Amino acid sequence: MKNERKKFDYDLNYKELNLRERPELYRVGVGEQGVLLVEPYKSEILPHWRFKTPEIARESSEKIYALFLDYKKNGDFVGMDMARKFLQMGVTRSRRYANHRTGQKYDGPVPDDKKGRSGSHGRDQLPLDVDPVKAESAAIFREKYLQAREDPDYQRMRKEWQKKYG
């Protein structure tokens, strides 16, 4: 079936695992799964990930997209996918701050057993408090995210990866 794929494995010891050395363990998963776990990519990309203003978002998204192209040049699908995830996270986090100035979408803390997982976990959603500056940052990231996601080489490599590893 087309949508069957292995979920992102949160049980691996990412603090000690280098997925450049063990790429076969990487799973694309859904959306941004694992974006803040997978090394060495997290350490390579995260320092450039910023969205406070449109100018910062533009510089950040361009740098992350340049990393995407470097990974592509080196045939590193995991790096490409991680850069894509950071660009996607630039969209979603900017949108969250665009919709909720504090960045808090839900009322109350995340339950201890749900930390690191997205979702409401039974909490009420807070009312919208729109910030147009962050909305512009989200649009900037979205442009680069779509460029990465729609890249023909990325799409081909993703299909090959999923066929080979799940």
Side-chain angles (χ1 to χ4, degrees):
M1 183 175 266
K2 184 181 178 187
N3 288 332
E4 280 186 29
R5 65 179 125 167
K6 292 184 182 176
K7 293 183 179 181
F8 188 84
D9 187 354
Y10 285 99
D11 294 327
L12 295 175
N13 184 358
Y14 290 99
K15 289 182 180 174
E16 296 182 18
L17 186 60
N18 179 327
L19 283 171
R20 183 170 286 129
E21 294 172 357
R22 300 286 314 274
E24 73 280 2
L25 297 176
Y26 180 75
R27 297 296 174 264
V28 173
V30 177
E32 303 160 25
Q33 288 181 330
V35 72
L36 296 175
L37 295 174
V38 176
E39 292 288 3
Y41 306 101
K42 177 186 105 174
S43 293
E44 293 169 359
I45 303 169
L46 183 60
H48 307 289
W49 183 72
R50 303 285 181 265
F51 56 89
K52 188 173 185 175
T53 68
E55 294 78 21
I56 291 169
R58 186 168 288 105
E59 180 181 330
S60 174
S61 64
E62 287 174 1
K63 175 59 180 173
I64 294 170
Y65 187 72
L67 289 169
F68 172 88
L69 294 176
D70 286 344
Y71 295 131
K72 176 179 166 175
K73 183 176 70 177
N74 293 320
D76 184 346
F77 171 73
V78 177
M80 291 173 71
D81 198 51
M82 288 296 294
R84 178 205 51 88
K85 287 181 180 192
F86 269 94
L87 292 168
Q88 183 175 5
M89 190 169 66
V91 177
T92 59
R93 296 309 186 279
S94 296
R95 283 294 337 151
R96 171 161 311 157
Y97 281 89
N99 293 337
H100 306 279
R101 289 178 195 264
T102 66
Q104 299 298 313
K105 184 175 180 180
Y106 300 106
D107 191 22
V110 176
D112 287 338
D113 65 333
K114 301 294 183 184
K115 291 194 187 287
R117 311 273 173 128
S118 64
S120 67
H121 310 298
R123 298 171 295 157
D124 291 332
Q125 187 167 329
L126 295 169
L128 291 180
D129 180 18
V130 179
D131 180 345
V133 172
K134 294 296 186 299
E136 187 177 345
S137 292
I140 290 166
F141 265 100
R142 182 168 173 72
E143 181 181 325
K144 288 297 182 193
Y145 162 68
L146 292 175
Q147 235 179 312
R149 188 188 75 183
E150 301 304 319
D151 180 281
D153 293 321
Y154 169 77
Q155 289 183 350
R156 176 186 50 77
M157 291 170 77
R158 181 176 173 143
K159 284 178 187 168
E160 292 169 359
W161 189 268
Q162 289 178 315
K163 185 176 181 181
K164 186 172 182 179
Y165 297 113

